Amino acid sequence: MINREWHLLSRPVGWPKPEDFALVEAEVRQPGEGQILVRNKYLSVDPYMRGRMSAAKSYVAPFELGKVMQGGAVGEVVASGAEGIAVGDHVLHFGGWREYATFGAAQAVKVDPEAAPLSTYLGVLGLTGLTAYAGLLRTAVFKEGDSVFVSGGAGAVGSQVGQIARLKGASRVIGSAGSDDKVKLLVEEYGFDAAFNYKNGPVGEQLRAAAPDGIDVYFDNVGGDHLEAAIGSLNQGGRIAVCGMISVYNNTEPAPGPRNLARLIQTRGRIEGLLVGDHYDLQPQFVQEVGPWVASGELKYRETVVEGIENNLEAFLGVLRGDNTGKMIVKL
């Protein structure tokens, strides 16, 4: 059996280029004792992967040059040398960016394709959803009646943050997005109270118009001018959860910081970074609460699906460009 898999050939400088990567063929390795072989059906591409392409020290090890990349994936077990996982089972794992993956069964989590579509375990019911849930409720300490602003509101994480805030009793939910169609989606389908296209004018001005009474919580997926605008609109005791800063991921020079950090003194505001790996203990609570919302349609989600392993890189670049609405998924 021949496997197709993506390798990182060189570390990108600025925007990743196709020549930094290669789709190569490799032999599929049969599983040994305690291992499983999975035929991947859906792969995840996410903004954080840009950081792993750099050699800079971070919270996760960089991708190794000349070796297969990794990412979230869900697939079907086609051979098993492990107790408790049988051929035909479906599992969630991190052996993505390839068609087949062989790894220790301890690194896999069984999922039920009858309970929910397989792709949702990479998004709304997976780490994406848990990131939104933990970031809003634990990191940002959301309280009923809070006014919430989320940047990247039409993205996989941002769209869930806004909807969870609404379902939990936010007084007002505001989102930013990169197109008028996405703004319409936030208001008409996801139930945001207001939204704006950040390309249509200064973010600070648009946020003040959308939230004239200020904001209590900001969930940051973008950084840059969005973070500065949020600090400017923060109410007393406001909280900012920093999940991502996609606006600076491809910068070759350090981005200037917000110019109004001194306002945190006046508002007694707080900024805290967020890594979902610190909040796995919330997974059972997350599934118990959010699962029924998804099943009932109270919490809606979108997926942007790209077909074929050969298009995995283009799907990833699309995430960096903001081409996706909701979770970007590669279907094999």
Side-chain angles (χ1 to χ4, degrees):
M1 295 172 63
I2 297 298
N3 197 12
R4 289 187 294 170
E5 56 187 39
W6 281 94
H7 288 199
L8 182 67
L9 300 184
S10 58
R11 302 204 180 278
V13 177
W15 274 85
K17 303 179 294 295
E19 52 265 34
D20 295 323
F21 308 83
L23 181 61
V24 305
E25 291 187 347
E27 190 173 334
V28 174
R29 183 167 56 87
Q30 292 301 311
E33 185 177 353
Q35 294 185 323
I36 56 175
L37 170 61
V38 176
R39 179 171 64 84
N40 287 329
K41 291 190 173 183
Y42 294 94
L43 308 179
S44 176
V45 288
D46 303 281
Y48 82 87
M49 294 174 175
R50 177 61 184 87
R52 296 196 68 186
M53 296 171 189
S54 167
K57 186 176 181 180
S58 184
Y59 62 91
V60 64
F63 292 129
E64 295 185 62
L65 294 179
K67 294 189 177 181
V68 65
M69 298 160 65
Q70 299 109 25
V74 64
E76 181 180 358
V77 177
V78 293
S80 176
E83 292 185 10
I85 298 184
V87 172
D89 284 345
H90 290 81
V91 296
L92 173 67
H93 62 95
F94 285 90
W97 287 76
R98 67 191 105 181
E99 292 175 309
Y100 291 87
T102 304
F103 53 90
Q107 301 169 40
V109 176
K110 286 203 288 188
V111 296
D112 184 358
E114 301 297 324
L118 283 175
S119 60
T120 62
Y121 293 106
L122 295 174
V124 65
L125 294 178
L127 291 184
T128 299
L130 180 60
T131 299
Y133 187 85
L136 177 68
L137 302 183
R138 178 176 281 174
T139 306
V141 198
F142 171 83
K143 303 186 297 292
E144 185 177 355
D146 279 344
S147 176
V148 176
F149 170 47
V150 53
S151 57
V157 173
S159 59
Q160 286 195 246
V161 171
Q163 292 184 82
I164 292 171
R166 174 178 56 78
L167 289 163
K168 286 282 193 178
S171 62
R172 189 166 179 80
V173 177
I174 305 102
S176 71
S179 74
D180 292 340
D181 285 342
K182 289 181 179 180
V183 167
K184 184 178 180 181
L185 173 70
L186 293 185
V187 175
E188 294 186 1
E189 185 168 332
Y190 293 159
F192 284 49
D193 297 288
F196 60 85
N197 183 343
Y198 65 84
K199 298 176 182 177
N200 287 347
V203 175
E205 293 180 9
Q206 295 195 78
L207 178 57
R208 284 192 294 273
D213 295 324
I215 59 172
D216 303 298
V217 168
Y218 171 49
F219 194 103
D220 191 15
N221 293 303
V222 174
D225 55 356
H226 280 74
L227 178 56
E228 186 169 293
I231 293 172
S233 287
L234 205 62
N235 290 330
Q236 185 167 317
R239 291 87 65 204
I240 296 174
V242 180
C243 177
M245 293 191 173
I246 197 170
S247 68
V248 302
Y249 285 170
N250 293 306
N251 288 6
T252 56
E253 297 292 332
R259 297 166 295 179
N260 57 348
L261 283 173
R263 194 166 187 277
L264 295 176
I265 303 170
Q266 173 189 345
T267 62
R268 283 73 116 190
R270 176 173 60 80
I271 301 179
E272 183 175 341
L274 161 67
L275 286 179
V276 68
D278 297 332
H279 304 284
Y280 287 154
D281 62 296
L282 287 178
Q283 180 74 20
Q285 176 183 324
F286 160 69
V287 172
Q288 183 178 20
E289 185 164 25
V290 175
W293 286 339
V294 174
S296 69
E298 292 175 275
L299 193 151
K300 304 179 187 302
Y301 67 95
R302 291 282 189 96
E303 295 175 340
T304 300
V305 180
V306 173
E307 300 265 355
I309 186 70
E310 64 276 7
N311 294 314
N312 216 79
L313 175 59
E314 182 56 28
F316 168 71
L317 296 176
V319 170
L320 297 183
R321 292 190 299 260
D323 294 350
N324 56 302
T325 298
K327 178 68 176 174
M328 180 71 89
I329 300 286
V330 178
K331 181 181 180 181
L332 304 188

